[in-house]
Amino acid sequence: ILFSFLSSSFAATNTTQAVDDDANDDNAAEGLGPTVILLFMFIGLSFGIVVMQILSVVGEGIPYTCIVFFLGLFFSTVSPSDGTFGKSIAVWESIDAELLLFIFLPPLVFGEAMSLNWYHVKGGFCQSLFLAGP
């Protein structure tokens, strides 16, 4: 289901851009399928997992987000523009912002909710309700 949703969403995003018919025929001929679309996401998540494991063994001298940011800068400068990985990057560059939010926000919120300290939640619950209310 996720593959069909991503494919249709990326297809809708690509059709809204000013792309001539020859480019669309080239993409269809080269087989830009759901596995190519998800290649960049899985490689990025794999690098994040590796960095997290290294930091858990070595210790956090540099914060995780800084390391991931600099890895992203590095890979954006050295990434190939052609080939399967380059096509995957090109598709993710044109992703709809709402789709990106719907894909990544639930796991991020769930991960943070699982690591909450109950003592701190009880202490800030009334303040949170006050801020969330009218």
Side-chain angles (χ1 to χ4, degrees):
I1 296 172
L2 178 63
F3 290 129
S4 63
F5 177 70
L6 287 173
S7 298
S8 64
S9 177
F10 281 119
T13 304
N14 287 337
T15 56
T16 58
Q17 297 174 351
V19 178
D20 58 298
D21 292 330
D22 294 333
N24 288 337
D25 292 339
D26 290 340
N27 285 341
E30 292 172 349
L32 191 63
T35 55
V36 173
I37 292 171
L38 294 176
L39 178 67
F40 174 69
M41 184 176 74
F42 286 131
I43 289 176
L45 289 174
S46 299
F47 273 109
I49 291 169
V50 168
V51 168
M52 184 75 75
Q53 290 299 321
I54 290 172
L55 286 178
S56 69
V57 172
V58 175
E60 288 197 32
I62 302 173
Y64 171 76
T65 53
C66 293
I67 293 174
V68 172
F69 175 76
F70 287 119
L71 274 175
L73 283 177
F74 173 73
F75 285 117
S76 68
T77 58
V78 299
S79 66
S81 60
D82 57 345
T84 307
F85 188 65
K87 290 175 191 173
S88 179
I89 291 174
V91 170
W92 276 95
E93 287 175 348
S94 63
I95 189 173
D96 184 30
E98 291 178 359
L99 177 65
L100 187 68
L101 181 73
F102 291 144
I103 290 174
F104 288 110
L105 188 62
L108 290 173
V109 170
F110 180 76
E112 290 300 317
M114 292 302 292
S115 65
L116 283 177
N117 186 348
W118 181 246
Y119 177 76
H120 295 296
V121 171
K122 285 191 324 186
F125 187 72
C126 292
Q127 296 170 352
S128 299
L129 279 180
F130 179 71
L131 289 173

Coordinates of all heavy atoms in Angstrom, one line a residue, residues 1-34:
I1 N 0.8 -1.2 0.0 CA 0.0 0.0 0.0 C 0.9 1.2 0.0 O 0.6 2.2 -0.7 CB -1.0 0.0 1.2 CG1 -1.9 -1.2 1.1 CG2 -1.7 1.3 1.3 CD1 -2.8 -1.4 2.3
L2 N 2.0 1.2 0.8 CA 2.8 2.4 0.9 C 3.5 2.6 -0.5 O 3.6 3.8 -0.9 CB 3.9 2.2 1.9 CG 5.0 3.3 2.1 CD1 4.3 4.6 2.5 CD2 6.0 2.8 3.1
F3 N 3.9 1.6 -1.2 CA 4.5 1.7 -2.5 C 3.6 2.4 -3.5 O 4.0 3.3 -4.2 CB 5.0 0.4 -3.1 CG 6.2 -0.2 -2.3 CD1 6.1 -1.5 -1.9 CD2 7.3 0.5 -2.1 CE1 7.2 -2.1 -1.2 CE2 8.4 0.0 -1.4 CZ 8.3 -1.3 -1.0
S4 N 2.3 2.0 -3.5 CA 1.4 2.5 -4.5 C 1.1 4.0 -4.1 O 0.9 4.8 -5.0 CB 0.1 1.7 -4.5 OG -0.5 1.7 -3.3
F5 N 1.0 4.3 -2.8 CA 0.7 5.7 -2.4 C 1.9 6.6 -2.7 O 1.7 7.7 -3.3 CB 0.5 5.7 -0.8 CG 0.3 7.1 -0.3 CD1 -0.9 7.8 -0.6 CD2 1.2 7.7 0.5 CE1 -1.1 9.0 -0.1 CE2 1.0 8.9 1.0 CZ -0.2 9.6 0.7
L6 N 3.1 6.1 -2.5 CA 4.3 6.9 -2.8 C 4.4 7.1 -4.3 O 4.7 8.2 -4.8 CB 5.6 6.3 -2.3 CG 5.8 6.4 -0.8 CD1 7.0 5.6 -0.4 CD2 5.9 7.9 -0.4
S7 N 4.2 6.1 -5.1 CA 4.3 6.2 -6.5 C 3.3 7.1 -7.1 O 3.6 8.0 -7.9 CB 4.1 4.8 -7.2 OG 5.1 3.9 -6.8
S8 N 2.0 7.0 -6.6 CA 1.0 7.9 -7.1 C 1.3 9.4 -6.7 O 1.0 10.3 -7.5 CB -0.4 7.5 -6.7 OG -0.5 7.6 -5.3
S9 N 1.8 9.6 -5.5 CA 2.1 10.9 -5.0 C 3.2 11.5 -5.8 O 3.2 12.7 -6.2 CB 2.4 10.9 -3.5 OG 2.7 12.2 -3.1
F10 N 4.3 10.7 -6.0 CA 5.4 11.2 -6.8 C 5.0 11.5 -8.2 O 5.4 12.4 -8.8 CB 6.6 10.3 -6.8 CG 7.4 10.3 -5.5 CD1 7.5 9.2 -4.7 CD2 8.0 11.5 -5.1 CE1 8.2 9.3 -3.5 CE2 8.7 11.6 -3.9 CZ 8.8 10.5 -3.1
A11 N 4.1 10.6 -8.8 CA 3.6 10.9 -10.1 C 2.8 12.1 -10.2 O 3.0 12.9 -11.2 CB 2.8 9.7 -10.6
A12 N 2.0 12.4 -9.2 CA 1.2 13.6 -9.2 C 2.1 14.8 -9.1 O 1.9 15.9 -9.7 CB 0.2 13.6 -8.1
T13 N 3.2 14.7 -8.3 CA 4.1 15.8 -8.1 C 4.8 16.1 -9.4 O 5.0 17.2 -9.8 CB 5.1 15.5 -7.0 OG1 4.4 15.2 -5.8 CG2 6.0 16.7 -6.8
N14 N 5.2 15.0 -10.1 CA 6.0 15.2 -11.3 C 5.1 15.8 -12.4 O 5.6 16.4 -13.3 CB 6.6 13.9 -11.8 CG 7.8 13.5 -10.9 OD1 8.4 14.4 -10.2 ND2 8.1 12.2 -10.8
T15 N 3.8 15.5 -12.5 CA 3.0 16.0 -13.5 C 2.6 17.4 -13.3 O 2.3 18.1 -14.3 CB 1.7 15.2 -13.6 OG1 1.0 15.2 -12.4 CG2 1.9 13.7 -14.0
T16 N 2.7 17.9 -12.1 CA 2.4 19.4 -11.9 C 3.6 20.2 -12.3 O 3.4 21.4 -12.5 CB 2.2 19.6 -10.4 OG1 3.3 19.2 -9.6 CG2 0.9 18.9 -10.0
Q17 N 4.8 19.7 -12.5 CA 5.9 20.5 -12.9 C 5.9 20.5 -14.4 O 5.2 19.8 -15.1 CB 7.2 19.8 -12.5 CG 7.4 19.7 -11.0 CD 8.6 18.9 -10.6 OE1 9.2 18.3 -11.4 NE2 8.9 18.9 -9.3
A18 N 6.6 21.6 -14.9 CA 6.6 21.8 -16.4 C 7.7 20.8 -17.0 O 8.8 21.1 -17.1 CB 7.0 23.2 -16.7
V19 N 7.2 19.6 -17.4 CA 8.1 18.6 -17.9 C 7.5 18.2 -19.3 O 6.3 18.0 -19.4 CB 8.2 17.4 -17.0 CG1 9.0 16.3 -17.6 CG2 8.7 17.8 -15.7
D20 N 8.4 18.2 -20.3 CA 7.8 17.8 -21.6 C 7.6 16.3 -21.7 O 8.0 15.6 -20.9 CB 8.8 18.3 -22.7 CG 10.2 17.7 -22.5 OD1 10.8 18.0 -21.5 OD2 10.6 17.0 -23.4
D21 N 6.9 15.9 -22.8 CA 6.5 14.5 -22.9 C 7.6 13.6 -23.1 O 7.6 12.4 -22.7 CB 5.5 14.4 -24.1 CG 4.1 15.1 -23.8 OD1 3.8 15.1 -22.6 OD2 3.5 15.5 -24.7
D22 N 8.7 14.1 -23.7 CA 9.9 13.2 -24.0 C 10.5 12.8 -22.6 O 10.9 11.6 -22.5 CB 10.9 13.9 -24.8 CG 10.4 14.1 -26.3 OD1 9.5 13.4 -26.7 OD2 10.8 15.1 -26.9
A23 N 10.6 13.7 -21.7 CA 11.2 13.3 -20.4 C 10.3 12.3 -19.7 O 10.8 11.4 -19.0 CB 11.3 14.6 -19.5
N24 N 9.0 12.5 -19.8 CA 8.1 11.5 -19.1 C 8.3 10.1 -19.8 O 8.2 9.1 -19.1 CB 6.6 11.9 -19.2 CG 6.4 13.1 -18.3 OD1 7.1 13.3 -17.3 ND2 5.3 13.9 -18.6
D25 N 8.4 10.1 -21.1 CA 8.7 8.8 -21.8 C 10.0 8.2 -21.3 O 10.1 6.9 -21.2 CB 8.6 8.9 -23.3 CG 7.2 9.3 -23.8 OD1 6.3 9.1 -23.0 OD2 7.2 9.9 -24.9
D26 N 11.0 9.0 -21.1 CA 12.3 8.5 -20.7 C 12.2 7.9 -19.3 O 12.8 6.8 -19.0 CB 13.4 9.6 -20.7 CG 13.7 10.0 -22.1 OD1 13.5 9.2 -23.0 OD2 14.3 11.1 -22.2
N27 N 11.5 8.5 -18.4 CA 11.4 8.0 -17.0 C 10.6 6.7 -17.0 O 10.9 5.8 -16.3 CB 10.7 9.0 -16.1 CG 11.6 10.2 -15.7 OD1 12.8 10.0 -15.8 ND2 11.0 11.3 -15.3
A28 N 9.5 6.6 -17.8 CA 8.8 5.4 -17.9 C 9.6 4.2 -18.5 O 9.5 3.1 -18.1 CB 7.5 5.6 -18.7
A29 N 10.4 4.6 -19.5 CA 11.2 3.5 -20.1 C 12.3 3.0 -19.2 O 12.7 1.9 -19.2 CB 11.9 4.1 -21.4
E30 N 12.8 3.9 -18.3 CA 13.9 3.5 -17.4 C 13.4 2.8 -16.2 O 14.2 2.3 -15.4 CB 14.7 4.7 -17.0 CG 15.5 5.3 -18.2 CD 16.2 6.6 -17.8 OE1 15.9 7.1 -16.8 OE2 17.0 7.0 -18.6
G31 N 12.1 2.7 -16.0 CA 11.6 1.9 -14.9 C 11.7 2.6 -13.5 O 12.2 2.0 -12.6
L32 N 11.3 3.8 -13.4 CA 11.4 4.5 -12.2 C 10.2 4.0 -11.3 O 9.2 4.6 -11.2 CB 11.2 6.0 -12.4 CG 11.5 6.9 -11.2 CD1 13.0 6.8 -10.8 CD2 11.3 8.4 -11.6
G33 N 10.5 2.9 -10.6 CA 9.4 2.2 -9.8 C 9.6 2.6 -8.4 O 10.4 3.4 -7.9
P34 N 8.8 1.9 -7.5 CA 8.8 2.3 -6.1 C 10.1 1.9 -5.4 O 10.4 2.5 -4.4 CB 7.6 1.5 -5.5 CG 7.2 0.5 -6.6 CD 7.7 1.0 -7.9

